[in-house]
Amino acid sequence: MASAIQKIALNASRDIPFNKLVLSQSNVRRVKSGLSIEELARDIERRGLLQSLNVRPVLNGEGAETGAYEVPAGGRRFRALELLVKQKKLAKTAPVPCVVREAGSAILAEDDSLAENVQRLALHPLDQFRAFRDMLEKGMSEEEIAAAFFVVPTVVKQRLRLMTVSDKLLDIYEQDGMKLNQLMAFSISDDHTRQEQVWEIVSQSHNREPYLIRRMLTEKTVRASDRRVRFVGLEAYLAAGGPVMRDLFEADDGGWLQDPTLLDRLVMEKLAAAAEDIRTEGWKWVETALSFPWGHTRDFVEIDGTPVALSEEEAARLSALHSEQETIEAEYAQADEFPEEVDIRLGEIEQAIEVLEERPMSFDPADMARAGAFVSLDTDGTLLVERGFVLTEDMLAEPEDSHDEAEGYDDTVVHHGTGDDVEGIGMEDTFDPEPEEEDGLKPLSDRLLTELTAWRTLALRDAFVGNPHVALTEFLHTLVRDIYWQTPGADCLEAYVREISLPVHSPDMPGSLPAHALRQRNEGWKHDLPEDEDALWHWINGLDDTSRLALLAHCLSFGINALHESSHGPSLARSVRERLARADRLATVLALDLAEAGWQPTVENYLGRVTKARILEAVREARGIEAAERIAHLKKNDMAQAAERLLEGAGWLPEALRTANVPERTEREEGAARMTDSHDAVAAE
């Protein structure tokens, strides 16, 4: 006959007056963790005690029960009740539900205390989300939920944000198929189909980092920090019904705009309105674009304008600003640094002075009747207006009515492309992407090499200007070669000086750091030059040596030519090789670093224009073999986009842009460290 299974007997439970309870020294929790005693007391006050205390009888010296009970398990609840008694919110004799362990039990008090704290499982974040959602649906507000659980409302909003994630992905997370920070990354979008597509892609890859998920979900959106958004204003976009994607778990700088077409329409409408205002000034034509290519004004003659004089009020304001600036600088002359509020005020003063000193120009109405203006967006999202440009044929013609059309222009606003992909004057419409099946390390196309070396030429000019000593050396070297060696076409500096145009270039070049620096420098010199050309010689003669060398370097920089050109015939090919060799030498002497100058590989300027083998080579050099292997299975377009994200900030350069003896800033070690840290952080979740 089988023996019956012995039944266990649970410990008795009963109410014990609070004043009969004392905290046991056997309680293992000594370090404060999680919810504070004050918060727990408020929670007990609101909802009552949800969990009994675990107690044992206190024995006297003879082993008899004294009527008091010690609390080895439930010490924080005991302290919370004690606080409520002190606050006179709970009577000293209030009955407290307790589970009583018999005296002399073989189970140690420390054993019970440890078991209560260890033998429990923290609530799964998904269960917390579902509980918050149910309470929200039953009428509690986010603020009420936050107050009930002593968390800030942001935590509740973050958990409720998981409502935007596909049920399929929630199920995968529930089965431990993905990490919490990966799930949070998916909450940036409410497009369940796209979420599932992205998971299908990343789940087959070694790289499942949250940043990659966010980038894939936002790749067809526009950042709120984009210059177009700054131009029209986020409020205008929202007022037009444009949706915005926000990230509650990471800093998102305002989020992502999900309707680029609407944004571009708002931009062009605002540009058109600005163009009409500028047209009423009396210009013959006004042309608009999001951006114009580098050198778009070279075929025009620029008419002279006169700076508008300061009004009495503006002059007084400028004088007061200068006085305040001098007073502050004198007061803190001996200090190591300015206090924060003083530094902020100095910045405000400098901006106000700059606005007053950069005077608008006035033009002769007769000149305006034959001239026009270019209206576009500057790199900081402000309106950029370039006035006073005349076509060569219009310089010879009689001024016409300001409302007549100029040859080649009409009264409509001209839009050269959408988004940041802008085609403009002198730009060809075709790229030369490599066929998908051509995966070898074939040579770069002539056009791509020309675009890359145009970027390098521009950066080389900027670096050249900054080193008058090298500029003078190169100038003398060219003159001596012309006299004694006479090899036409082989110099990287045309010393007479003929400006070398850069009609073929990537769309990002006009807004680059070198382009901005050269424009600013050129405007500065134009402002300083005498109005009368006859006075130019005496003006130059009166400059100090430092200014003369700086002006020399600036003028010579326009002749820098480091361009790759397709060559036909051995003589021309030799000249191009010699010119590029001299450009390499100049770049080395100037320690030119194209990554420092702002060039970085994108789908548009490099990665979408080369074979898959070239893309993988770039990622392998910059981020290592493992990173390249993670994207090796992708199709060409997807691989190029993934590589752009991987190479961001790596400082990697194609061979045509590298400078000898200048270390490459690929940051491979830093990238590996960041990936390791990221994996560790995910594991820690």
Side-chain angles (χ1 to χ4, degrees):
M1 178 177 178
S3 59
I5 299 175
Q6 186 176 359
K7 302 297 190 293
I8 63 172
L10 299 178
N11 295 323
S13 175
R14 68 173 189 238
D15 291 342
I16 299 175
F18 178 76
N19 61 356
K20 297 293 185 180
L21 300 176
V22 294
L23 187 63
S24 172
Q25 295 303 309
S26 299
N27 193 300
V28 299
R29 185 186 290 276
R30 305 292 172 83
V31 179
K32 181 179 178 180
S33 176
L35 204 66
S36 71
I37 299 300
E38 292 78 9
E39 290 171 339
L40 182 56
R42 291 200 300 272
D43 190 69
I44 293 174
E45 180 184 359
R46 174 177 175 266
R47 71 177 85 245
L49 197 63
L50 296 179
Q51 187 176 356
S52 301
L53 304 184
N54 182 284
V55 302
R56 293 169 179 246
V58 176
L59 306 180
N60 60 19
E62 286 74 31
E65 295 187 10
T66 62
Y69 294 84
E70 64 175 349
V71 184
R76 294 182 66 252
R77 275 164 281 148
F78 173 82
R79 287 194 176 94
L81 293 170
E82 186 179 45
L83 178 61
L84 291 172
V85 170
K86 289 180 179 178
Q87 294 173 343
K88 301 189 182 302
K89 295 179 179 179
L90 182 70
K92 292 181 180 180
T93 58
V96 178
C98 297
V99 174
V100 183
R101 173 79 72 180
E102 69 278 5
S105 171
I107 305 296
L108 297 175
E110 289 83 358
D111 193 346
D112 281 346
S113 178
L114 183 62
E116 185 186 61
N117 288 284
V118 173
Q119 298 293 340
R120 62 179 178 178
L121 187 64
L123 190 66
H124 194 282
L126 196 55
D127 290 330
Q128 188 184 37
F129 144 64
R130 287 166 175 160
F132 285 170
R133 180 189 60 189
D134 292 343
M135 288 186 284
L136 187 71
E137 291 174 349
K138 292 179 180 179
M140 290 184 70
S141 68
E142 293 175 353
E143 291 71 19
E144 288 172 335
I145 296 172
F149 291 93
F150 304 102
V151 296
V152 294
T154 302
V155 173
V156 178
K157 292 179 184 293
Q158 288 176 339
R159 288 292 181 259
L160 292 175
R161 181 69 179 178
L162 297 180
M163 293 173 67
T164 64
V165 179
S166 157
D167 287 337
K168 178 180 177 181
L169 298 187
L170 291 176
D171 290 341
I172 293 172
Y173 171 60
E174 186 174 1
Q175 300 301 320
D176 296 327
M178 73 170 69
K179 304 292 185 181
L180 177 59
N181 56 3
Q182 294 170 325
L183 185 71
M184 293 189 300
F186 280 107
S187 72
I188 197 173
S189 169
D190 55 7
D191 185 342
H192 290 182
T193 301
R194 180 56 181 159
Q195 290 174 354
E196 292 169 9
Q197 288 174 346
V198 170
W199 176 249
E200 184 67 24
I201 294 171
V202 300
S203 64
Q204 300 175 23
S205 169
H206 294 294
N207 186 4
R208 303 182 186 182
E209 298 295 334
Y211 79 86
L212 178 60
I213 294 171
R214 287 187 176 91
R215 284 184 175 176
M216 294 179 70
L217 288 172
T218 59
E219 61 188 1
K220 295 182 179 180
T221 62
V222 177
R223 291 300 299 257
S225 56
D226 187 273
R227 62 182 179 138
R228 290 169 288 169
V229 183
R230 284 180 281 171
F231 178 62
V232 300
L234 184 59
E235 297 76 13
Y237 170 81
L238 293 172
V244 175
M245 183 184 298
R246 297 303 303 266
D247 189 347
L248 293 181
F249 299 96
E250 298 283 343
D252 61 7
D253 295 326
W256 294 263
L257 281 65
Q258 296 175 265
D259 193 341
T261 303
L262 172 61
L263 175 63
D264 286 335
R265 177 172 64 79
L266 295 174
V267 170
M268 294 314 300
E269 288 175 356
K270 189 170 181 178
L271 277 176
E276 286 304 314
D277 290 341
I278 293 165
R279 193 189 303 275
T280 60
E281 296 174 4
W283 300 105
K284 183 176 183 180
W285 52 265
V286 177
E287 184 170 351
T288 64
L290 288 181
S291 63
F292 291 101
W294 176 258
H296 63 284
T297 61
R298 64 175 290 104
D299 294 328
F300 294 80
V301 177
E302 188 173 0
I303 62 175
D304 294 326
T306 304
V308 176
L310 288 167
S311 66
E312 291 185 6
E313 182 180 347
E314 289 174 328
R317 171 68 175 154
L318 182 60
S319 177
L321 288 169
H322 278 300
S323 298
E324 184 180 357
Q325 183 183 45
E326 292 169 1
T327 300
I328 293 175
E329 290 176 347
E331 182 179 352
Y332 292 94
Q334 304 303 319
D336 293 334
E337 59 182 18
F338 294 113
E340 183 178 357
E341 64 278 6
V342 174
D343 193 44
I344 292 173
R345 177 53 187 159
L346 279 175
E348 294 171 347
I349 292 173
E350 289 171 359
Q351 289 181 350
I353 289 175
E354 184 177 352
V355 169
L356 288 170
E357 290 185 340
E358 290 186 0
R359 306 305 300 158
M361 305 294 288
S362 64
F363 297 87
D364 188 312
D367 288 335
M368 295 171 68
R370 69 173 92 232
F374 295 97
V375 180
S376 60
L377 284 189
D378 210 342
T379 53
D380 61 355
T382 58
L383 189 69
L384 176 62
V385 182
E386 300 169 283
R387 296 176 173 86
F389 294 94
V390 186
L391 288 165
T392 305
E393 56 266 31
D394 286 342
M395 286 297 294
L396 305 176
E398 290 296 321
E400 301 174 2
D401 186 270
S402 61
H403 295 288
D404 292 344
E405 296 181 358
E407 184 177 353
Y409 295 91
D410 57 33
D411 287 335
T412 61
V413 173
V414 182
H415 175 37
H416 298 278
T418 60
D420 284 330
D421 183 9
V422 179
E423 297 293 336
I425 301 173
M427 293 291 289
E428 298 178 19
D429 292 332
T430 58
F431 281 154
D432 50 357
E434 301 295 342
E436 178 69 28
E437 65 274 8
E438 295 183 2
D439 284 343
L441 285 173
K442 62 178 291 185
L444 302 182
S445 67
D446 284 337
R447 179 181 174 93
L448 179 55
L449 276 173
T450 302
E451 288 187 10
L452 292 174
T453 52
W455 229 106
R456 189 181 192 222
T457 297
L458 196 67
L460 192 57
R461 289 177 181 178
D462 186 37
F464 184 88
V465 173
N467 197 323
H469 177 81
V470 171
L472 184 56
T473 301
E474 188 67 23
F475 182 41
L476 292 173
H477 174 267
T478 301
L479 294 179
V480 172
R481 284 190 68 262
D482 281 348
I483 294 172
Y484 295 102
W485 280 270
Q486 298 182 355
T487 309
D491 292 300
C492 71
L493 170 64
E494 310 287 354
Y496 20 95
V497 171
R498 177 174 65 87
E499 182 179 355
I500 306 301
S501 64
L502 306 173
V504 177
H505 58 73
S506 57
D508 63 329
M509 197 181 80
S512 65
L513 293 175
H516 181 72
L518 287 168
R519 278 196 297 265
Q520 292 292 100
R521 191 179 294 111
N522 195 47
E523 288 301 317
W525 281 114
K526 283 174 61 178
H527 180 269
D528 292 344
L529 290 174
E531 296 182 6
D532 185 1
E533 187 176 346
D534 293 337
L536 178 61
W537 193 94
H538 294 287
W539 180 80
I540 295 174
N541 190 50
L543 293 176
D544 58 70
D545 287 345
T546 301
S547 298
R548 288 159 62 89
L549 282 174
L551 180 57
L552 172 66
H554 173 68
C555 292
L556 292 179
S557 72
F558 288 93
I560 292 293
N561 186 356
L563 284 170
H564 163 85
E565 293 177 310
S566 55
S567 54
H568 302 283
S571 177
L572 180 57
R574 184 174 61 252
S575 294
V576 172
R577 284 197 304 273
E578 291 181 9
R579 177 207 306 158
L580 293 179
R582 291 182 173 85
D584 289 342
R585 178 188 59 209
L586 197 55
T588 300
V589 171
L590 292 169
L592 178 68
D593 186 341
L594 265 292
E596 286 285 351
W599 190 92
Q600 63 178 14
T602 64
V603 173
E604 193 172 31
N605 71 11
Y606 183 79
L607 298 167
R609 319 275 296 285
V610 298
T611 62
K612 292 173 68 174
R614 288 268 182 199
I615 298 173
L616 292 175
E617 178 189 47
V619 174
R620 188 162 48 248
E621 290 181 355
R623 297 301 192 193
I625 296 175
E626 182 181 352
E629 289 177 346
R630 286 203 302 269
I631 66 171
H633 66 285
L634 298 176
K635 292 183 178 180
K636 168 71 175 296
N637 186 51
D638 293 336
M639 180 186 289
Q641 293 182 19
E644 178 178 330
R645 293 189 288 266
L646 284 169
L647 294 174
E648 183 178 354
W652 179 87
L653 298 171
E655 189 173 355
L657 298 185
R658 297 175 187 174
T659 299
N661 300 325
V662 173
E664 293 183 48
R665 302 183 308 106
T666 61
E667 299 180 3
R668 187 178 305 165
E669 296 81 7
E670 291 86 344
R674 283 195 298 271
M675 290 182 184
T676 301
D677 292 343
S678 181
H679 283 299
D680 291 343
V682 171
E685 288 284 353

